[in-house]
Amino acid sequence: MVLKLYSASFPGAGGGIVALVLAEKQIPFEHVLVDLKAKEQKTPEFLAMNPFGQVPVIEDEGFILYESRAICRYLAEKYADQGKPLLPKGSKERALVEQAASVEFGDFHSVVSKVVREAVSKVNRGLPIDQAALDLSLTNLSAKLDVYEVILSKHRFLAGDEFTLADLFHYAFAPVLAEGGVDIMTSKGPNVARWWNELMSRPAWVKLKAEGIKGTVG
Ligand SMILES: N[C@@H](CCC(=O)N[C@@H](CS)C(=O)NCC(=O)O)C(=O)O
């Protein structure tokens, strides 16, 4: 039974990072489009899979899993020897990936999502921006990226010289910044810009951004 990914088609969020892992690992999957505007994620059938009523969710031979980063880890582990390696095998190397991934979820994602809410989501919905909240979030994001600049001056990617899940998790939301005219990922420092440009030109991402999330079967 082919793996099913339940998500919206938009690539710059949780469903996008799962779709990227599926692409990098060359895992065939069926995409089940969930219409968020129609609240399909709140139906009893969907809540039975994810009681929080959110996408993405996967179903892998009867095994249901939600939370985008947990799904990415599961797939990277299960298909460790297929497609591009996304998690190193050594315990120290793996710990460095988890260190960078914790920073992404605990520090980076939390501020990026606030910037996206003000500079993109509210603008798209014609709602007034809270300029003070946006300025504060941009200051906080800038401070995180100053540290990224130091880290990325020492190695090519966040957890060493190989692309890993710690880098991949940054595709959740940060690519949306450019849509709101926020160029902070490429204007902060030369090493952050080099890293971000490399992520943005990765073939799996270029394809996903152009096509949206689409299954490979079904
Ligand atoms: N922490 C969750 C966040 C999931 C999430 O925020 N999903 C959004 C779409 S990106 C959603 O389902 N929104 C609709 C809703 O909350 O009703 C994850 O990473 O999977």
Side-chain angles (χ1 to χ4, degrees):
M1 199 167 65
V2 72
L3 184 141
K4 282 187 187 165
L5 167 62
Y6 296 81
S7 78
S9 58
F10 173 65
I17 60 173
V18 173
L20 263 184
V21 171
L22 291 165
E24 297 279 8
K25 304 300 284 176
Q26 296 169 10
I27 304 166
F29 72 104
E30 179 187 341
H31 184 231
V32 183
L33 185 65
V34 180
D35 184 343
L36 300 182
K37 284 204 180 114
K39 299 276 174 213
E40 284 180 359
Q41 73 280 20
K42 309 294 185 202
T43 61
E45 295 76 21
F46 198 90
L47 289 170
M49 293 195 295
N50 180 357
F52 293 102
Q54 293 192 312
V55 293
V57 173
I58 61 160
E59 183 184 346
D60 184 20
E61 295 174 338
F63 175 61
I64 305 284
L65 191 64
Y66 56 86
E67 277 300 317
S68 55
R69 290 164 184 78
I71 298 170
C72 291
R73 284 182 169 93
Y74 167 74
L75 295 173
E77 289 276 8
K78 179 169 175 184
Y79 296 91
D81 298 322
Q82 177 177 319
K84 300 260 166 57
L86 297 174
L87 280 174
K89 293 209 162 94
S91 54
K92 288 188 179 134
E93 291 78 7
R94 181 71 70 95
L96 291 173
V97 173
E98 288 304 334
Q99 173 181 265
S102 285
V103 171
E104 185 278 330
F105 192 56
D107 299 315
F108 181 87
H109 179 74
S110 53
V111 283
V112 164
S113 54
K114 288 188 184 123
V115 175
V116 167
R117 185 172 62 217
E118 293 300 330
V120 184
S121 310
K122 283 192 177 176
V123 172
N124 288 349
R125 282 186 278 152
L127 298 172
I129 294 178
D130 179 341
Q131 193 60 48
L134 177 58
D135 291 346
L136 177 63
S137 301
L138 280 169
T139 302
N140 290 338
L141 180 56
S142 180
K144 302 294 171 208
L145 290 176
D146 284 340
V147 183
Y148 273 35
E149 181 62 26
V150 175
I151 294 168
L152 290 164
S153 71
K154 296 183 182 148
H155 30 78
R156 185 169 161 202
F157 294 104
L158 287 171
D161 286 324
E162 302 298 330
F163 178 82
T164 68
L165 280 188
D167 303 288
L168 187 145
F169 289 159
H170 288 77
Y171 289 96
F173 270 24
V176 182
L177 291 171
E179 276 178 40
V182 179
D183 68 355
I184 195 164
M185 300 304 292
T186 48
S187 64
K188 265 309 285 180
N191 289 294
V192 171
R194 166 192 54 72
W195 167 74
W196 191 245
N197 287 332
E198 185 163 353
L199 261 61
M200 292 298 97
S201 55
R202 214 168 155 86
W205 170 251
V206 172
K207 186 167 188 291
L208 183 65
K209 190 162 179 264
E211 297 178 1
I213 301 175
K214 281 202 313 195
T216 49
V217 294

